[in-house]
Amino acid sequence: MSKHFFGDTAVLLGRSLRHITRSVDTIVTTAIMPIAMLLMFVYVFGGAIDTGSVSYVNYLLPGILLITVASGIAYTAFRLFMDMKGGIFERFQSMPIARSSVLWAHVLTSLVANLISLVVVVLVALLMGFRSGAGVPAWLAVAGMLILFTLALTWLAVIAGLSAKSVDGASAFSYPLIFLPFLSSAFVPTDTMPGPLRVFAEHQPVTSIVNAIRDLFTQQPVGTDIWIALAWCVGILIVAYAFAMNTYRRKIS
């Protein structure tokens, strides 16, 4: 790794963050859409869904947080695609900077932007009645899991951004990721689902992540869900990182 890697990454990170602050539609889409979904499900559908003694906003929030991340990382793929098509990568290669810093700047930009969106969504949920007796360790565990989840999906976005043939293709990969929480325990208990769908919902990664975050918020024993969730996040992160770096090396070779 180049000795200039951290400095180069910091400079390029600043460049990407400036682009985000100048793009109002990015901020609106990544923060407002999940908030709109939170409002709609709590105030329109919440009364019809039985979640026992847990208020629906408390039940729903973990899934909305994952949707916030899934919608936010689409812009990582979009920005990477635009840099590739605009010749920015070729320009950077002619400069004495660490090659991998270009990718890491985009990844860290995604992490910062998504963390801001997540904080905004949590604040809105608090205004809507979300309450948690979780202590600092539990909140740190939730934050750590969301960071891992964001990094895992962001490296998937890097693959899409480097491989896409069009702008629409670069961001369209995120649609299945946004839809996946709907086929999980994020919105309704899985035991209300029909057989085949229930089996899928109970064994896909979003359910274990949602259940772990929900248990942490409610101070319940997390059991095996947290280890399954961590295994999914770390596994996706490692595989996506390897494929992304391989794709990047082929693109710039």
Side-chain angles (χ1 to χ4, degrees), residues 183 189-204 207:
L183 304 177
T190 56
D191 56 14
T192 63
M193 300 177 181
L197 180 57
R198 177 179 178 179
V199 171
F200 173 80
E202 290 179 346
H203 294 89
Q204 59 122 320
T207 291

Side-chain angles (χ1 to χ4, degrees), residues 108-192:
L108 293 177
T109 298
S110 171
L111 183 60
V112 171
N114 277 292
L115 287 177
I116 293 172
S117 297
L118 289 169
V119 169
V120 172
V121 171
V122 170
L123 291 176
V124 172
L126 287 169
L127 293 175
M128 294 173 61
F130 169 74
R131 296 294 181 267
S132 172
V136 173
W139 277 99
L140 289 176
V142 170
M145 190 168 300
L146 289 173
I147 288 172
L148 267 179
F149 183 72
T150 302
L151 288 173
L153 293 197
T154 298
W155 281 106
L156 287 177
V158 169
I159 299 172
L162 294 174
S163 306
K165 304 299 182 182
S166 66
V167 173
D168 292 336
S171 55
F173 90 100
S174 66
Y175 298 158
L177 299 178
I178 295 173
F179 184 69
L180 201 57
F182 291 92
L183 304 177
S184 73
S185 63
F187 293 88
V188 296
T190 56
D191 56 14
T192 63

Side-chain angles (χ1 to χ4, degrees), residues 20 28 37 41 70 78-79 82 85 101 103 109 112 114 138 143 151 166 175 194 196 220 226 240 253:
I20 286 182
V28 169
M37 293 180 64
F41 275 91
F78 171 78
R79 288 190 295 269
M82 296 305 294
K85 292 302 179 183
S101 64
L103 285 189
T109 298
V112 171
N114 277 292
L151 288 173
S166 66
Y175 298 158
Q220 298 297 317
I226 193 167
S253 60

Side-chain angles (χ1 to χ4, degrees), residues 13-84:
L13 172 62
R15 166 186 173 268
S16 295
L17 290 175
R18 284 193 296 272
H19 286 177
I20 286 182
T21 58
R22 295 168 186 167
S23 177
V24 177
D25 60 327
T26 301
I27 299 171
V28 169
T29 303
T30 55
I32 299 302
M33 187 189 77
I35 290 172
M37 293 180 64
L38 182 64
L39 291 168
M40 180 180 69
F41 275 91
V42 170
Y43 294 126
V44 177
F45 303 117
I49 299 175
D50 182 15
T51 55
S53 60
V54 180
S55 68
Y56 192 56
V57 65
N58 282 30
Y59 185 91
L60 181 66
L61 182 59
I64 293 295
L65 294 178
L66 299 193
I67 289 177
T68 302
V69 174
S71 62
I73 53 98
Y75 284 94
T76 301
F78 171 78
R79 288 190 295 269
L80 266 171
F81 176 82
M82 296 305 294
D83 278 357
M84 288 289 294

